[in-house]
Amino acid sequence: MEIINAKTAGFCFGVRRAVEMAEKAAGEFGGCVTLGQLIHNNDVVRALEDKGVRTVNTADEVLPGQTVIIRSHGVGMAEYEALRAKGANIVDATCPEVKRIHDMVRDDWQAGRQIIIFGERDHPEVIASAGWCEGAIVLESAEEAEKLVKNRPELAAIPVTVVSQTTAVRERFDFCINILKKLCTNLKIFDTICYTTANRQKEAASLASQCEAVVVIGGRHSANSVKLAEICAPLCDKVFFIENAEALDISQLRGIKTVGVTAGASTPEWIIKEVNKKMSDEIREEVSEIRDEQPEQAVETAAEETAQAVQAQAEAPEAESAEEASFEEMLEKSIKTLHTGEKVTGIVAAVTPTEVSIDLGTKQSGYIPASEITDDPNANVNDIVKVGDSIEAYVMRVNDVEGTVMLSKKRLDSVKAWDDIAQARNERTVVEGKVTEENKGGVVVNLKGIRVFVPASQSGLPKDTPMTELVGKTVRLRITEVNQPRRRVVGSIRAVQFEERRERAEKLWEEIEVGKHYNGVVKSMTSYGAFVDIGGVDGMVHVSEISWDRIRQPADVLSIGQEIDVYVISFDKENKKISLGYKDPNANPWTKFTDTYKVDDVAEVKIVKLMAFGAFAEIIPGVDGLIHISQIANQRIGKPDEVLSEGETVNAKIVNIDEENHKVSLSIRALLSAEAAPVAEEE
Ligand code: F3S
């Protein structure tokens, strides 16, 4: 039989800390009481009693001046007040992870939010958390969440905050949240499931899927131990939930090849070792049986192999213990050497909107408040750190009483950032940052957490453009001034734009040629043309080159800021002038006209303008012809409007085409009389 012990089995940090605090207090004060059973394990409670740690159930039972341990589950506000009123000496062993839930509950309730706690209604931790607000709703299951959604429609309109019991099963919590999301429009979710619980549950599921049997060690009242057994049950046929070695019926493990062992957060190491030992003894017995039944040689080999395995398994707890001892020493050492301002490295254990929990490998719990992650007010903590990331931070505060270490990532980043900024200033490198706000006289760019002021004149925006246009945008800038003692950094976006524009202009002048197309932006317009930026250089499109149609001014077709495709008509490198065309040469109406019509053809034309000397008529869009007054009618007329009116459509004969000047002469009279005079010369 192979025994696989879960790495995460046994006391969690919070429980270990509470037990140690109780033992210390009992020694220091000659005994103490715990408000409620310190942990859900009768063996440990009995062992503590032997050391002078007794259990009381309510604050009323506490005597004035008596030392009271608040267990890792914590208590509500009222209990603290009652204990203070009694004059008790309070030793608060509330797990820091749980304490943070209390703070969230209190703060959000005070901010007018409805609190929902996902967890077991009767669990001391849930009762304690609910004791930091009024009217908390406790949900034990998805079914209860469904009922709530149905029966309390008013929750849709009020802000709601949800927290979870630290030992809840994540899938169930997520399921419940999805239901609440259907109703609550203003929902704040704190995933407060303790990462040690989540890891323990994950490992238990993995053991259950690979072993023939799983032994879960924990008290019957220990919620997290019960959950471990529940998680293993669907994955493994044989799950034995026992409180200690005595409760293990070893005969049930006979014939099983692999057994997984896990334990709840309130199970001490010595109980896990006893269970291991009992199973190892069973293996020894199996070996003896083999020895009795098999020939000597085979027995020797089998016995040797099995004994080695047994030895390894049996010694495992001892080895662990030795390892633990040296680990403890290292731990103590590391705790003592943690100082404010020191740089530490840890692993991200959990991320909530308000803080990030860091596993520093010590028994102190590291955390970084959201405000110490980054200076960017718009940043999302989840985008910056992920569970499992290795992270470097500065120690801000060590609280040995609470067992917490407050860390700051942004300050470490800031030191690095100042170095980088000074280097960027010295080496004149271009840096990139996000504009976070408009400021009096300019904008502020966040550069790795450092505020860089960019004066309006250096913003690169055209005059009179509001600075707000830049807010939220990522910009490239050059650092022009660094004064770290005064925490002042000045930058220029314009300098970068200027240099980039100059580089592009140089390249453009090297490569320019007639007919080359550019994608340009209309920068300004006059009555005679539009100036277009084609990449560092402005060219001019004359009004006649904007459209084939008759237009009065460029603004009839173009607008400032419009992106247009232009081509080079001519350029002068020396005087830095470029003449551009916008109208499509392939859509030239004259070409279309000459391809379609020739002299003597008859065309249906539209009278577009009446003049004293004749009428202009549109033959095709973009090509007009002139009907001289003498060619309008057979008889002499005083003015063209005696016969024609604007907008009228008539048939006219093409009597002359002037290719050079793109002019066309038309005649209506030629169609009325065969003796129409040749008019072209006359005109
Ligand atoms: Fe604390 Fe997590 Fe244990 S919340 S008490 S460390 S399970």
Side-chain angles (χ1 to χ4, degrees):
M1 180 166 64
E2 188 191 356
I3 305 167
I4 306 173
N5 279 292
K7 289 192 197 81
T8 48
F11 275 1
C12 66
F13 142 76
V15 169
R16 187 193 303 275
R17 176 171 166 270
V19 171
E20 285 171 0
M21 284 171 85
E23 286 173 345
K24 192 167 165 234
E28 255 175 46
F29 303 109
C32 62
V33 293
T34 65
L35 193 54
Q37 221 179 39
L38 189 68
I39 63 171
H40 297 303
N41 188 294
N42 294 328
D43 294 297
V44 178
V45 171
R46 273 194 294 274
L48 283 170
E49 272 170 10
D50 292 344
K51 292 180 181 172
V53 182
R54 277 192 314 107
T55 305
V56 294
N57 294 314
T58 64
D60 292 340
E61 295 172 49
V62 177
L63 304 172
Q66 197 166 32
T67 299
V68 184
I69 314 293
I70 309 265
R71 57 185 169 178
S72 57
H73 299 314
V75 292
M77 247 184 308
E79 280 76 15
Y80 278 101
E81 276 159 24
L83 287 173
R84 278 190 205 112
K86 278 265 179 175
N89 172 30
I90 301 172
V91 175
D92 194 349
T94 307
C95 174
E97 299 288 327
V98 177
K99 194 88 202 133
R100 281 200 284 278
I101 300 179
H102 295 174
D103 294 344
M104 289 170 192
V105 167
R106 182 200 54 215
D107 293 349
D108 277 22
W109 169 65
Q110 284 174 353
R113 304 183 73 87
Q114 167 66 52
I115 305 297
I116 295 181
I117 304 171
F118 179 75
E120 291 149 86
R121 201 161 277 113
D122 298 329
H123 193 280
E125 182 196 312
V126 174
I127 296 170
S129 296
W132 288 89
C133 66
E134 279 173 19
I137 298 169
V138 178
L139 293 177
E140 290 201 331
S141 62
E143 290 76 41
E144 288 192 8
E146 289 282 11
K147 265 191 213 156
L148 183 80
V149 166
K150 212 194 261 173
N151 300 336
R152 299 278 305 269
E154 75 275 12
L155 290 177
I158 54 175
V160 175
T161 290
V162 189
V163 296
S164 163
Q165 186 178 334
T166 54
T167 48
V169 178
R170 168 148 292 118
E171 288 71 34
R172 294 182 202 165
F173 177 61
D174 290 345
F175 205 49
C176 189
I177 290 297
N178 285 337
I179 295 167
L180 292 175
K181 276 183 184 168
K182 286 192 267 177
L183 172 72
C184 307
T185 50
N186 184 348
L187 188 65
K188 198 154 126 192
I189 304 153
F190 290 112
D191 178 352
T192 48
I193 297 174
C194 172
Y195 73 96
T196 64
T197 304
N199 288 349
R200 190 188 302 265
Q201 290 174 353
K202 218 188 278 172
E203 212 192 344
S206 156
L207 274 184
S209 352
Q210 56 175 293
C211 296
E212 280 177 49
V214 176
V215 176
V216 179
I217 316 168
R220 290 275 154 202
H221 302 297
S222 160
N224 75 89
S225 305
V226 173
K227 267 172 212 147
L228 288 179
E230 283 174 9
I231 287 168
C232 293
L235 301 167
C236 181
D237 289 341
K238 292 193 163 87
V239 177
F240 304 105
F241 185 23
I242 57 167
E243 194 155 1
N244 49 32
E246 220 175 288
L248 177 67
D249 180 356
I250 202 76
S251 67
Q252 291 179 304
L253 294 177
R254 286 248 155 90
I256 284 172
K257 288 200 181 67
T258 47
V259 184
V261 179
T262 183
S266 48
T267 309
E269 267 102 23
W270 57 268
I271 292 186
I272 302 173
K273 281 176 193 167
E274 275 184 9
V275 172
N276 263 276
K277 188 166 180 307
K278 193 166 181 179
M279 287 195 284
S280 301
D281 289 346
E282 171 63 16
I283 296 170
R284 280 181 209 279
E285 263 177 44
E286 276 179 11
V287 172
S288 307
E289 279 166 23
I290 295 168
R291 195 189 297 267
D292 294 344
E293 284 165 17
Q294 289 181 6
E296 213 168 284
Q297 183 63 41
V299 167
E300 264 177 26
T301 316
E304 204 177 299
E305 282 171 5
T306 318
Q308 279 170 5
V310 168
Q311 192 66 25
Q313 288 294 341
E315 283 175 1
E318 300 308 322
E320 254 175 39
S321 162
E323 235 173 60
E324 269 165 24
S326 64
F327 178 72
E328 289 291 330
E329 280 165 23
M330 281 161 53
L331 192 64
E332 290 301 327
K333 209 170 149 199
S334 76
I335 289 168
K336 281 192 189 100
T337 51
L338 276 185
H339 297 300
T340 302
E342 191 179 334
K343 193 167 96 178
V344 289
T345 305
I347 303 292
V348 175
V351 181
T352 73
T354 53
E355 66 181 38
V356 175
S357 298
I358 307 295
D359 184 350
L360 293 170
T362 69
K363 63 182 178 183
Q364 286 155 312
S365 165
Y367 70 98
I368 310 177
S371 58
E372 290 296 327
I373 296 282
T374 171
D375 260 334
D376 182 355
N378 302 316
N380 180 349
V381 175
N382 284 298
D383 295 340
I384 300 170
V385 287
K386 300 256 177 302
V387 172
D389 284 357
S390 174
I391 193 167
E392 281 188 325
Y394 269 143
V395 174
M396 300 293 294
R397 197 167 53 233
V398 180
N399 188 332
D400 281 330
V401 178
E402 284 190 0
T404 56
V405 183
M406 187 175 126
L407 306 164
S408 173
K409 177 179 182 300
K410 77 174 185 189
R411 293 180 201 215
L412 184 64
D413 291 347
S414 166
V415 172
K416 285 187 191 160
W418 277 104
D419 291 346
D420 291 349
I421 281 178
Q423 194 178 358
R425 163 80 180 87
N426 296 339
E427 294 176 4
R428 292 184 47 75
T429 42
V430 174
V431 289
E432 207 173 85
K434 197 169 185 181
V435 179
T436 52
E437 63 189 86
E438 184 192 355
N439 197 321
K440 200 175 156 203
V443 290
V444 175
V445 178
N446 182 319
L447 206 62
K448 298 179 181 177
I450 292 177
R451 290 161 63 86
V452 180
F453 175 62
V454 177
S457 61
Q458 297 302 314
S459 69
L461 286 177
K463 205 166 164 260
D464 297 333
T465 309
M467 291 288 123
T468 43
E469 287 223 342
L470 280 179
V471 177
K473 286 194 180 148
T474 299
V475 293
R476 290 159 58 74
L477 64 161
R478 197 180 286 297
I479 303 300
T480 52
E481 187 189 328
V482 180
N483 186 337
Q484 192 173 353
R486 291 184 58 202
R487 306 193 72 75
R488 179 180 157 85
V489 186
V490 181
S492 169
I493 300 169
R494 190 166 156 239
V496 177
Q497 285 178 348
F498 178 77
E499 284 155 24
E500 287 178 346
R501 193 174 158 81
R502 199 181 55 195
E503 276 168 27
R504 278 185 290 137
E506 276 170 17
K507 193 160 179 269
L508 188 139
W509 281 114
E510 271 169 29
E511 296 172 354
I512 194 165
E513 55 190 56
V514 170
K516 189 165 181 174
H517 280 253
Y518 290 94
N519 190 28
V521 178
V522 179
K523 299 295 286 285
S524 61
M525 288 189 280
T526 64
S527 58
Y528 55 86
F531 291 90
V532 180
D533 178 358
I534 55 172
V537 180
D538 286 354
M540 209 263 280
V541 189
H542 190 265
V543 66
S544 61
E545 296 299 335
I546 289 175
S547 172
W548 291 110
D549 294 334
R550 236 176 288 116
I551 60 169
R552 283 186 302 119
Q553 54 190 7
D556 291 348
V557 175
L558 302 174
S559 55
I560 305 272
Q562 186 181 349
E563 276 189 33
I564 56 172
D565 180 67
V566 288
Y567 53 91
V568 179
I569 295 175
S570 64
F571 62 89
D572 176 352
K573 271 192 187 179
E574 215 165 284
N575 295 307
K576 299 277 183 268
K577 281 190 178 159
I578 303 173
S579 171
L580 301 168
Y582 173 58
K583 59 187 187 186
D584 181 3
N586 297 324
N588 187 342
W590 183 258
T591 314
K592 205 171 158 196
F593 166 72
T594 51
D595 287 350
T596 316
Y597 295 103
K598 57 186 188 312
V599 172
D600 289 341
D601 281 353
V602 175
E604 190 180 74
V605 299
K606 186 173 152 194
I607 307 299
V608 289
K609 190 127 190 104
L610 296 174
M611 310 292 284
F613 54 85
F616 285 102
E618 184 188 81
I619 308 166
I620 62 167
V623 178
D624 294 348
L626 172 67
I627 314 169
H628 190 263
I629 191 165
S630 63
Q631 295 302 313
I632 289 175
N634 259 342
Q635 73 282 11
R636 180 172 292 278
I637 56 171
K639 283 197 285 181
D641 63 3
E642 288 171 21
V643 178
L644 298 172
S645 54
E646 284 181 7
E648 184 184 356
T649 304
V650 294
N651 281 335
K653 187 173 178 177
I654 298 169
V655 292
N656 189 44
I657 298 174
D658 178 352
E659 282 280 0
E660 204 181 326
N661 298 306
H662 289 195
K663 285 186 176 166
V664 185
S665 300
L666 300 169
S667 171
I668 298 170
R669 188 176 157 202
L671 299 177
L672 302 174
S673 159
E675 294 165 8
V679 291
E681 293 85 346
E682 246 177 60
E683 284 165 30

